[in-house]
Amino acid sequence: MSRGPRFQGMWEHLFRLAQVGMNHYGGAHFRHSGEGRVLTLVAEQGAQAFGNVLLDVGANTGDYACMALDLTGDRYHIHCFEPAASSRSLLTERLSEQIAQGRVTIVPKGVGKEAGELTLYSPKPGSSVASLYRFDPATRPWEGNTEETIRIVTVDDHCAQHAIARVLMLKIDVEGHELAVLQGASNMLARKAIQYIQFEFGEAHIDARTFFLDFHKLLSPNYELYRILPDGLRHITTYTPDLEVFHTTNYLAVLRSPERRQPL
């Protein structure tokens, strides 16, 4: 009887509460998502051999970069990738002091699987949900439409051009294009040259036709995967279809090493 129509509203409510408790829907605001704790963890436990380069892919107007600078001082040299002109203008103004100090590098490009040009869609200039995919109104309705042709670079090419042999952390928030960013880092991943990877997974991946399984297959051979919580991490030991939750959630991939015998 508990599976009958009478109880479905209750189960659906409890199902949503369970997802909130698991920090699904938790990537919407960086100050409450647990991303700050990850930055502190990386600063404390990051291997010296990986240097201090942080790649902020999808920097928008600089909220994440500012948090990284506030929490870790001058430990990171941050490369902020932001292809949208309006967002990049605000980003550059906001971080002008750190740019002058050489602590931040602004990269006026998007990041993907291969170099070229693509169309960026957004509801308005400066939007934090600009995407390389047209969102279906059923997944994420918005009013207005702005289109902009942007240049795309790969992580591999950027690192080669700037003589970056290793990356301490790669943070990716690009509204559905996260997997393509990782595919464009195939050489760095094959060399195990990126120690930490933070990526977002959510509604935009419905429009991108990407599953969490794709991330798991790509990363799990060399990385431990975790769901980021406000006050810690949840280790993902194996893949199950239950992981296919299309609500904004941040995940952390940590490069396996002989020195780390236990998960974080």
Side-chain angles (χ1 to χ4, degrees):
M1 291 181 60
S2 63
R3 290 182 289 174
R6 179 181 178 183
F7 296 97
Q8 290 308 301
M10 177 188 72
W11 295 131
E12 289 163 7
H13 179 67
L14 290 174
F15 179 58
R16 183 179 174 88
L17 283 178
Q19 291 182 64
V20 172
M22 295 168 68
N23 209 31
H24 297 300
Y25 305 91
H29 197 290
F30 69 99
R31 292 198 182 280
H32 307 297
S33 64
E35 294 173 86
R37 292 180 65 91
V38 168
L39 283 165
T40 302
L41 171 75
V42 172
E44 292 175 347
Q45 298 193 15
Q48 289 186 349
F50 283 83
N52 67 341
V53 172
L54 187 157
L55 303 183
D56 182 2
V57 177
N60 195 241
T61 59
D63 285 345
Y64 183 87
C66 286
M67 179 172 65
L69 292 165
D70 288 344
L71 289 174
T72 64
D74 59 357
R75 294 190 188 187
Y76 293 146
H77 180 150
I78 306 176
H79 292 237
C80 293
F81 296 80
E82 181 47 58
S86 56
S87 298
R88 188 171 64 252
S89 176
L90 294 171
L91 172 71
T92 303
E93 180 180 356
R94 190 174 182 183
L95 297 175
S96 58
E97 182 179 344
Q98 291 84 358
I99 294 169
Q101 295 170 348
R103 298 166 61 195
V104 172
T105 298
I106 304 296
V107 185
K109 299 176 183 179
V111 183
K113 184 177 180 179
E114 56 189 19
E117 290 188 345
L118 293 173
T119 300
L120 184 70
Y121 306 97
S122 63
K124 61 182 180 180
S127 172
S128 62
V129 292
S131 177
L132 291 168
Y133 305 91
R134 288 184 181 273
F135 289 163
D136 189 305
T139 61
R140 190 177 296 188
W142 64 26
E143 295 182 2
N145 186 47
T146 299
E147 296 185 11
E148 183 178 355
T149 300
I150 63 169
R151 291 185 296 159
I152 300 293
V153 67
T154 69
V155 169
D156 284 342
D157 287 348
H158 180 81
C159 290
Q161 291 164 7
H162 292 266
I164 300 171
R166 290 188 173 186
V167 170
L168 179 61
M169 183 169 180
L170 168 61
K171 167 263 181 184
I172 319 170
D173 181 358
V174 286
E175 301 300 322
H177 209 56
E178 285 80 357
L179 184 66
V181 172
L182 291 170
Q183 291 169 334
S186 58
N187 181 51
M188 295 288 284
L189 292 176
R191 293 196 299 105
K192 300 181 182 179
I194 305 174
Q195 188 175 13
Y196 297 93
I197 301 169
Q198 179 185 309
F199 64 93
E200 191 175 84
F201 184 77
E203 295 88 346
H205 291 87
I206 298 174
D207 299 284
R209 302 297 188 266
T210 303
F211 295 96
F212 191 85
L213 177 61
D214 299 311
F215 292 95
H216 193 274
K217 284 183 174 180
L218 180 64
L219 295 173
S220 62
N222 293 320
Y223 287 84
E224 298 284 351
L225 293 174
Y226 301 84
R227 186 172 65 252
I228 297 174
L229 308 175
D231 58 355
L233 300 168
R234 173 60 171 172
H235 190 206
I236 300 171
T237 56
T238 57
Y239 174 82
T240 72
D242 292 338
L243 293 166
E244 305 294 353
V245 179
F246 293 96
H247 296 298
T248 305
T249 311
N250 285 294
Y251 293 87
L252 182 68
V254 182
L255 185 66
R256 294 194 181 100
S257 66
E259 293 79 16
R260 181 181 287 112
R261 298 183 181 275
Q262 298 294 329
L264 295 176

